[in-house]
Amino acid sequence: MKKRWVSMLACVTVLSTLLSACGGDKEAEKNAAVADENTPLELTWLNILHTASPPTDTIKKLLEEYTNTKITFNWVPDASKEERITTALASGELADIVTLTMMTNSSVRSSLKSGLFWDVGPYLDDYDNLAKIAPEVRAAASIEGVLYGVPFQKNLARSGLIMRKDWLDKLGLPVPTTLDEVYEVARAFTEDDPDGNGVDDTTGFGDRNDLRYSSFKTLSSYFGTPNGWKVDESGKFTPEFDTQEYMDTLNFSKKLYENGYLAQDFAVTAKTDQQQQFAQGKTGIYTGMVDISSLRTLAQDLQEGLELVPVNKISNGDGEYHIWSEGSGVGGLMAFPKSEVKTEAELKRLLQFINDLIDEEAFMLMTGGIEGTHYEFDENGAYKVLNTELWQADVQPFSSSRPSEISYTLKDANPEKQLANELIRENDQYAVFDPTVPLDSATNNEQGTELAKIITDATFKYIMGQATEDDFKKAVQTWKDSGGTKITEEYEAAYKLTQK
């Protein structure tokens, strides 16, 4: 019996040694491949998918050739990103590059601060494109001065409204410039038969179940609500939902809803469904100027005579314009987990890959695709998609993964899209920043996402007439008592440190 036990132990020891050797050999092979810059770098990328389907391999192969890599994408649908990303962070099932767009999410911030990801700040200036990332963008993307990934560079403020210009013209309405005029457009688009079919089948505002990217946040900007938080001269912080401007927005949205001028199913509507409703002519106002080309494409062959107009400057009547800024020009991070990226050499190869994606050739592959196949430049130098269906299948899913959307400016052959691009750049003048973007709160990292649900639920219930103003104020107090007051104090303390 003893001999058999010794024999079994010996076998296990030999097997363990062999497995360790195999693992060591694989790690050695990987390190050797990373060290040899002529060998394609094999990488995985946990990325967000903003389209209905993942892209074909057409553009991926060209990007691999340009960047000398072999890429495996793990796509996460945008609609389920919060659940999927937080689960991946908790389980450690990550990739070499992880796209993190929910920078205010408590799970994301906690993971970043825990040391799970590399600090890339000391490396950026070693790469020609990454070195051009502005100091204020790096600061906004950092947590307590540490940059845990390469920031996606975005325009400061892309929000605004898209309206059916053909409906405005049919009803004799001008493009609105005030909130009162926006309300009148929503009313007319609902009650005055803008499509002329004699049927009561249209609604002014389409919307979705996302408080941040729905109409509410944009309308809130127009009312002058602070972006996330208000900070006064003494350094006192007030959450946006504890301001009169937020309450004004609530009442405006509630009035839209109770009169039927706001989609009645908005609280259970996903972004893709909101887009389809607009494309099918069921709604006439959409939030998000950046989506104007997608909406036109979706409406192709569905809406004869469709004309769209982007709108970015709406005042509350005082002639002043405000629009909330999405992360102060930061669209999230491309982060590198230490569990997957184990050496500095591998990190540097991955940073070179990101740097290469900012080159104009890679930018055009991810924006337009292949010249002559997917797009062309007309006689005026304007960019034009040649085959929309092919571009959607091959190219469109990559556009949201471009490390920088601001490095190059294309003149769009579609005048609607060109105007939207110009208005998005004009928004820089009116952008309202969230003062907490570069700050940190331990309590918010731990509880922020759950606490935010208290306000989201209370906001939706108020808009839908299921709660009174007193009910909403009680929800705000619940937020404070459950950790909100502590979050406020921690932001105030962190802010004071930045003022020294």
Side-chain angles (χ1 to χ4, degrees):
M1 180 70 179
K2 185 177 181 180
K3 286 184 179 180
R4 179 190 288 180
W5 173 252
V6 171
S7 177
M8 289 175 63
L9 182 61
C11 289
V12 170
T13 302
V14 170
L15 181 60
S16 298
T17 302
L18 288 173
L19 289 173
S20 297
C22 290
D25 288 345
K26 289 182 179 179
E27 193 66 34
E29 289 175 7
K30 182 178 181 180
N31 290 338
V34 168
D36 182 4
E37 294 186 358
N38 294 317
T39 301
L41 175 68
E42 295 189 18
L43 66 95
T44 55
W45 190 345
L46 183 62
N47 207 357
I48 308 299
L49 181 68
H50 292 269
T51 55
S53 303
T56 66
D57 284 344
T58 301
I59 299 303
K60 183 172 85 79
K61 289 177 180 177
L62 293 174
L63 288 172
E64 289 176 331
E65 181 180 336
Y66 184 78
T67 59
N68 191 30
T69 58
K70 292 182 180 178
I71 312 168
T72 299
F73 283 102
N74 299 324
W75 293 105
V76 175
D78 180 67
S80 59
K81 66 184 177 185
E82 188 154 356
E83 177 185 355
R84 295 276 296 275
I85 293 296
T86 53
T87 299
L89 291 171
S91 66
E93 296 180 0
L94 301 170
D96 297 324
I97 304 172
V98 179
T99 293
L100 300 173
T101 58
M102 305 172 297
M103 295 302 293
T104 59
N105 180 280
S106 54
S107 297
V108 170
R109 293 184 76 86
S110 293
S111 295
L112 290 171
K113 285 197 67 182
S114 70
L116 183 64
F117 297 94
W118 284 84
D119 172 10
V120 304
Y123 300 95
L124 296 189
D125 288 339
D126 295 336
Y127 304 86
D128 58 344
N129 290 323
L130 300 182
K132 296 175 184 175
I133 299 175
E136 55 268 26
V137 172
R138 300 188 194 194
S142 299
I143 298 178
E144 295 183 332
V146 181
L147 187 57
Y148 292 105
V150 177
F152 284 100
Q153 298 175 76
K154 305 281 187 179
N155 294 102
L156 290 181
R158 300 183 299 165
S159 197
L161 303 176
I162 297 172
M163 295 188 175
R164 287 288 299 262
K165 178 66 164 55
D166 51 323
W167 287 9
L168 289 173
D169 292 344
K170 182 177 185 300
L171 299 177
L173 295 172
V175 175
T177 60
T178 68
L179 282 163
D180 286 344
E181 292 174 356
V182 168
Y183 185 88
E184 172 57 20
V185 169
R187 184 208 62 77
F189 279 6
T190 306
E191 296 181 345
D192 293 351
D193 192 22
D195 57 3
N197 66 355
V199 180
D200 183 14
D201 60 356
T202 58
T203 301
F205 269 96
D207 223 334
R208 62 180 184 263
N209 59 349
D210 181 337
L211 195 58
R212 185 173 174 84
Y213 292 100
S214 65
S215 67
F216 187 84
K217 183 75 171 177
T218 296
L219 292 172
S220 187
S221 288
Y222 299 155
F223 272 102
T225 307
N227 183 8
W229 294 79
K230 176 182 179 180
V231 56
D232 65 19
E233 294 180 357
S234 68
K236 176 180 171 56
F237 275 61
T238 303
E240 62 180 356
F241 46 81
D242 200 16
T243 65
Q244 182 58 49
E245 292 86 355
Y246 194 96
M247 183 56 63
D248 291 341
T249 312
L250 279 173
N251 288 322
F252 186 86
S253 297
K254 180 181 180 180
K255 188 177 178 182
L256 286 171
Y257 184 85
E258 66 187 9
N259 285 307
Y261 309 155
L262 173 66
Q264 301 295 286
D265 60 351
F266 80 93
V268 293
T269 300
K271 176 182 178 179
T272 51
D273 294 327
Q274 178 195 13
Q275 292 177 326
Q276 286 292 342
Q277 290 171 1
F278 188 91
Q280 294 165 8
K282 296 178 180 179
T283 61
I285 308 173
Y286 178 91
T287 307
M289 292 190 296
V290 71
D291 290 334
I292 195 165
S293 291
S294 299
L295 294 175
R296 171 162 286 284
T297 299
L298 286 171
Q300 190 173 354
D301 300 326
L302 295 176
Q303 296 295 305
E304 186 176 349
L306 174 78
E307 290 184 55
L308 304 178
V309 59
V311 183
N312 74 323
K313 292 191 293 187
I314 301 293
S315 80
N316 63 7
D318 61 4
E320 297 292 325
Y321 304 118
H322 318 276
I323 192 66
W324 69 283
S325 175
E326 306 166 76
S328 303
V330 177
L333 296 176
M334 290 160 280
F336 311 93
K338 294 176 181 178
S339 60
E340 309 298 321
V341 184
K342 297 181 178 178
T343 67
E344 185 180 52
E346 189 177 357
L347 174 65
K348 289 182 176 180
R349 282 291 302 271
L350 289 166
L351 288 172
Q352 184 63 56
F353 166 69
I354 300 296
N355 184 81
D356 292 343
L357 290 184
I358 303 178
D359 286 347
E360 187 170 8
E361 184 172 337
F363 173 86
M364 285 307 305
L365 284 172
M366 299 177 82
T367 303
I370 303 169
E371 186 172 4
T373 300
H374 298 99
Y375 75 93
E376 68 178 3
F377 291 104
D378 65 19
E379 63 276 8
N380 298 315
Y383 162 83
K384 178 182 181 181
V385 172
L386 291 173
N387 185 321
T388 299
E389 187 174 337
L390 187 64
W391 177 82
Q392 286 179 311
D394 294 345
V395 187
Q396 187 181 19
F398 287 108
S399 62
S400 60
S401 300
R402 294 171 296 179
S404 174
E405 294 183 3
I406 62 174
S407 297
Y408 308 98
T409 300
L410 296 175
K411 179 182 179 182
D412 204 290
N414 177 355
E416 295 170 348
K417 176 61 174 174
Q418 179 59 24
L419 178 57
N421 291 341
E422 292 172 3
L423 297 186
I424 287 171
R425 289 192 288 272
E426 186 181 43
N427 272 349
D428 288 358
Q429 303 172 47
Y430 316 116
V432 179
F433 299 103
D434 181 345
T436 67
V437 167
L439 305 179
D440 193 57
S441 158
T443 304
N444 189 63
N445 292 342
E446 296 170 3
Q447 302 176 241
T449 301
E450 288 303 313
L451 289 176
K453 292 178 182 178
I454 297 172
I455 302 304
T456 299
D457 290 346
T459 298
F460 282 177
K461 286 180 180 178
Y462 188 90
I463 292 171
M464 294 187 292
Q466 299 172 4
T468 65
E469 183 172 340
D470 284 342
D471 293 330
F472 182 80
K473 290 181 177 179
K474 287 178 183 177
V476 172
Q477 189 60 50
T478 299
W479 178 88
K480 292 178 180 179
D481 295 340
S482 303
T485 296
K486 194 172 182 181
I487 290 173
T488 304
E489 292 170 350
E490 289 169 354
Y491 276 141
E492 289 174 348
Y495 179 77
K496 286 179 182 177
L497 290 176
T498 67
Q499 303 303 299
K500 292 182 177 179

